[in-house]
CSV table of all heavy atoms in Angstrom, one decimal:
chain,number,residue,atom,x,y,z
A,103,VAL,N,17.2,16.4,8.1
A,103,VAL,CA,18.0,16.4,6.8
A,103,VAL,C,18.4,17.9,6.7
A,103,VAL,O,17.5,18.8,6.7
A,103,VAL,CB,17.2,16.0,5.6
A,103,VAL,CG1,18.0,16.0,4.4
A,103,VAL,CG2,16.7,14.6,5.8
A,104,VAL,N,19.6,18.2,6.5
A,104,VAL,CA,20.2,19.6,6.4
A,104,VAL,C,20.2,20.0,4.9
A,104,VAL,O,20.7,19.2,4.1
A,104,VAL,CB,21.6,19.7,7.0
A,104,VAL,CG1,22.1,21.1,6.9
A,104,VAL,CG2,21.5,19.3,8.5
A,105,LYS,N,19.5,21.1,4.6
A,105,LYS,CA,19.6,21.7,3.2
A,105,LYS,C,20.9,22.2,3.0
A,105,LYS,O,21.6,22.8,3.9
A,105,LYS,CB,18.6,22.8,3.1
A,105,LYS,CG,17.1,22.4,3.5
A,105,LYS,CD,16.2,23.6,3.4
A,105,LYS,CE,14.8,23.2,3.7
A,105,LYS,NZ,13.9,24.4,3.8
A,106,PRO,N,21.4,22.1,1.7
A,106,PRO,CA,20.8,21.4,0.6
A,106,PRO,C,21.0,19.9,0.7
A,106,PRO,O,22.0,19.5,1.2
A,106,PRO,CB,21.4,22.0,-0.7
A,106,PRO,CG,22.8,22.3,-0.2
A,106,PRO,CD,22.7,22.7,1.3
A,107,PHE,N,20.0,19.1,0.2
A,107,PHE,CA,20.1,17.7,0.2
A,107,PHE,C,19.7,17.1,-1.1
A,107,PHE,O,19.0,17.8,-1.8
A,107,PHE,CB,19.3,17.1,1.4
A,107,PHE,CG,17.9,17.6,1.4
A,107,PHE,CD1,16.9,17.0,0.6
A,107,PHE,CD2,17.5,18.6,2.3
A,107,PHE,CE1,15.6,17.4,0.6
A,107,PHE,CE2,16.2,19.1,2.3
A,107,PHE,CZ,15.3,18.5,1.4
A,108,SER,N,20.1,15.9,-1.4
A,108,SER,CA,19.7,15.3,-2.6
A,108,SER,C,18.4,14.5,-2.4
A,108,SER,O,18.0,14.1,-1.2
A,108,SER,CB,20.8,14.3,-3.1
A,108,SER,OG,21.0,13.2,-2.1
A,109,ALA,N,17.7,14.2,-3.5
A,109,ALA,CA,16.5,13.4,-3.4
A,109,ALA,C,16.9,12.0,-2.9
A,109,ALA,O,16.1,11.4,-2.2
A,109,ALA,CB,15.8,13.3,-4.7
A,110,ARG,N,18.0,11.5,-3.3
A,110,ARG,CA,18.5,10.2,-2.9
A,110,ARG,C,18.6,10.1,-1.4
A,110,ARG,O,18.2,9.1,-0.8
A,110,ARG,CB,19.8,9.9,-3.6
A,110,ARG,CG,20.3,8.4,-3.3
A,110,ARG,CD,21.6,8.2,-4.1
A,110,ARG,NE,22.2,6.9,-3.8
A,110,ARG,CZ,23.3,6.4,-4.3
A,110,ARG,NH1,24.0,7.2,-5.1
A,110,ARG,NH2,23.7,5.2,-4.0
A,111,GLU,N,19.3,11.1,-0.8
A,111,GLU,CA,19.5,11.1,0.7
A,111,GLU,C,18.2,11.2,1.3
A,111,GLU,O,17.9,10.4,2.3
A,111,GLU,CB,20.3,12.2,1.1
A,111,GLU,CG,20.5,12.4,2.6
A,111,GLU,CD,21.2,13.6,3.1
A,111,GLU,OE1,21.4,14.5,2.3
A,111,GLU,OE2,21.4,13.7,4.4
A,112,LEU,N,17.3,12.1,0.9
A,112,LEU,CA,16.0,12.3,1.5
A,112,LEU,C,15.2,10.9,1.5
A,112,LEU,O,14.6,10.4,2.6
A,112,LEU,CB,15.2,13.3,0.8
A,112,LEU,CG,13.7,13.5,1.4
A,112,LEU,CD1,13.8,14.0,2.8
A,112,LEU,CD2,13.0,14.5,0.5
A,113,LEU,N,15.1,10.2,0.4
A,113,LEU,CA,14.4,9.0,0.2
A,113,LEU,C,15.0,7.9,1.1
A,113,LEU,O,14.2,7.0,1.6
A,113,LEU,CB,14.3,8.5,-1.2
A,113,LEU,CG,13.5,9.4,-2.1
A,113,LEU,CD1,13.6,9.0,-3.6
A,113,LEU,CD2,12.0,9.4,-1.7
A,114,ALA,N,16.3,7.9,1.2
A,114,ALA,CA,16.9,6.8,2.1
A,114,ALA,C,16.5,7.1,3.6
A,114,ALA,O,16.3,6.2,4.3
A,114,ALA,CB,18.4,7.0,1.9
A,115,ARG,N,16.5,8.3,4.0
A,115,ARG,CA,16.1,8.6,5.4
A,115,ARG,C,14.6,8.3,5.6
A,115,ARG,O,14.3,7.8,6.6
A,115,ARG,CB,16.4,10.1,5.8
A,115,ARG,CG,17.9,10.3,5.9
A,115,ARG,CD,18.2,11.7,6.3
A,115,ARG,NE,19.6,11.9,6.5
A,115,ARG,CZ,20.3,11.8,7.6
A,115,ARG,NH1,19.7,11.3,8.7
A,115,ARG,NH2,21.6,11.9,7.7
A,116,ILE,N,13.8,8.6,4.6
A,116,ILE,CA,12.4,8.3,4.7
A,116,ILE,C,12.2,6.7,4.8
A,116,ILE,O,11.5,6.3,5.7
A,116,ILE,CB,11.6,8.8,3.5
A,116,ILE,CG1,11.5,10.3,3.6
A,116,ILE,CG2,10.2,8.2,3.4
A,116,ILE,CD1,10.9,11.0,2.3
A,117,ARG,N,12.8,6.0,4.0
A,117,ARG,CA,12.8,4.5,4.1
A,117,ARG,C,13.3,4.0,5.4
A,117,ARG,O,12.6,3.1,6.0
A,117,ARG,CB,13.5,3.9,2.9
A,117,ARG,CG,12.9,4.0,1.6
A,117,ARG,CD,13.5,3.1,0.5
A,117,ARG,NE,14.9,3.6,0.2
A,117,ARG,CZ,15.2,4.4,-0.7
A,117,ARG,NH1,14.2,4.9,-1.5
A,117,ARG,NH2,16.5,4.8,-0.9
A,118,ALA,N,14.3,4.5,5.9
A,118,ALA,CA,14.9,4.1,7.2
A,118,ALA,C,13.9,4.4,8.4
A,118,ALA,O,13.7,3.5,9.2
A,118,ALA,CB,16.2,4.7,7.5
Side-chain angles (χ1 to χ4, degrees):
V103 182
V104 178
K105 300 175 183 178
F107 52 81
S108 67
R110 182 179 179 183
E111 178 189 5
L112 178 66
L113 291 173
R115 289 184 178 271
I116 288 172
R117 286 192 292 269

